[in-house]
Structures are given as structure tokens and as C-alpha cells.
Amino acid sequence: MPENDPRYPIGRYQRPAEIPPALRAEWLRQVAEAPAGLRAVVTGLTEAQLDTPYRDGGWTVRQVVHHVPDSHLNAYTRFRLALTEEAPTVKTYEEARWAGLPDARTAPVEMSLALLDALHARWMLLLEAMGDAEFHRTFRHPDLGLMALDTTLGLYAWHGRHHAAQIRSLRERKGW
């Protein structure tokens, strides 16, 4: 990955070898703060700015905003499946094709920001009630193999910050 790659302004997700309680607590905080972080980076943008790709050949800011709840809805569902079934196999989805659908290309971002607020409020109720045994439960991802919920928590803590950073980086580059 080239230095200053606009696809990964905070770097790629790095799965730690161990997940101590302090790290899990930090990830929980990051998941809880993700909706406000995404809202903050789009506040004040015009419609034309929302329809600007965050990088050459990339999604528009609008598509990025709509992608985050799409992705986090899938994560939330995977958590619920893993908590209620024994290592269920989850379904993947075509992120790029979802981002190309009319709602992701044209809908007001407030719709997805409100959805993300509600989703994370509900998700946090579940996450905060989970103990060590629940965080060690797993699901099987067709591409990534067996995944524990604690590792998945880290991935989505990163994911929210990652997409907010893409938009923040675009704003900095454009002077918005």
C-alpha cells in the first residue's frame, strides 16, 4: 500500500494477536462513537460536495455514508446469528454493487445517518451486555473463515473510523 493511500487514511485493519479487556473497551467506545464521527465529517457539505468521490475512481461521499450502515447492519446481524447459533455461516454481500444502487447514489445522507444512530444504539445495548464467553463465539465467513465476535468488534471499530477518515481526508485535500 503506497504511503498516503486515500483508500486507507488510517491504515488497514490489523488484527491483534491478543485482545485484552482494555482493547475491547476501546473498541466498544469507538463503535459507540462511530455515528457521531460520521455525522461530524459530513456536516456542512453541499450536495455537490456529497457527490464528489473521496478519491479518483472511488465512491462519492454520499455512497460512503450510505455504505457504513449497510455494512454495520450486516455486522449486527452476524453478531446476533453468532450469539444464537453454533458457528453459523454468514452470507457476504456485494458492497460495490450495493453502493451503485439508486438509493446509495441519490438518497439524502441524513437517512443513513439516522439509521446508523438507531442501529448503533441498539447494537451497543447488545454489545454492553456481552461477556467474555459471548465475545469468543464465532461465525464462519465464506471468504475470511472462522471469526470470533471480539475480532469482528475490532474490525467494525476500525471500519467506522476508516470511512470517516476517508471523508475527512477529502475535506482536507479540497479545503472544505
Side-chain angles (χ1 to χ4, degrees):
M1 178 174 68
E3 192 170 322
N4 298 323
D5 184 337
R7 292 174 302 170
Y8 299 100
I10 63 169
R12 290 181 182 264
Y13 174 64
Q14 300 291 320
R15 182 181 176 269
E18 293 182 30
I19 302 169
L23 181 56
R24 185 183 297 152
E26 175 63 15
W27 287 344
L28 287 167
R29 184 189 63 73
Q30 290 172 355
V31 168
E33 293 175 355
L38 187 60
R39 185 178 295 279
V41 298
V42 298
T43 296
L45 292 180
T46 66
E47 290 299 308
Q49 290 167 330
L50 290 170
D51 290 327
T52 302
Y54 79 91
R55 67 174 175 87
D56 288 341
W59 292 341
T60 66
V61 171
R62 184 182 311 275
Q63 288 172 300
V64 171
V65 171
H66 292 311
H67 162 74
V68 174
D70 287 347
S71 177
H72 291 204
L73 277 165
N74 276 280
Y76 174 70
T77 300
R78 291 169 181 174
F79 268 76
R80 294 182 67 80
L81 288 168
L83 290 169
T84 59
E85 301 175 22
E86 291 305 316
T89 298
V90 299
K91 187 173 180 336
T92 61
Y93 73 104
E94 298 292 331
E95 294 179 352
R97 292 179 78 180
W98 283 38
L101 291 172
D103 62 326
R105 288 184 290 105
T106 63
V109 295
E110 182 54 39
M111 295 173 78
S112 281
L113 294 171
L115 177 57
L116 195 65
D117 286 338
L119 172 62
H120 276 242
R122 175 97 184 262
W123 195 8
M124 287 308 299
L125 287 173
L126 179 66
L127 292 171
E128 289 171 343
M130 290 171 57
D132 286 340
E134 288 88 6
F135 276 105
H136 289 103
R137 291 188 61 88
T138 60
F139 62 85
R140 185 166 306 283
H141 188 284
D143 299 329
L144 304 174
L146 199 62
M147 294 186 65
L149 292 183
D150 57 0
T151 302
T152 305
L153 176 67
L155 175 61
Y156 284 90
W158 169 85
H159 188 258
R161 293 182 302 109
H162 160 71
H163 286 301
Q166 288 174 330
I167 298 167
R168 187 177 309 106
S169 177
L170 172 66
R171 290 186 77 151
E172 289 168 2
R173 289 191 315 272
K174 297 280 191 180
W176 296 344

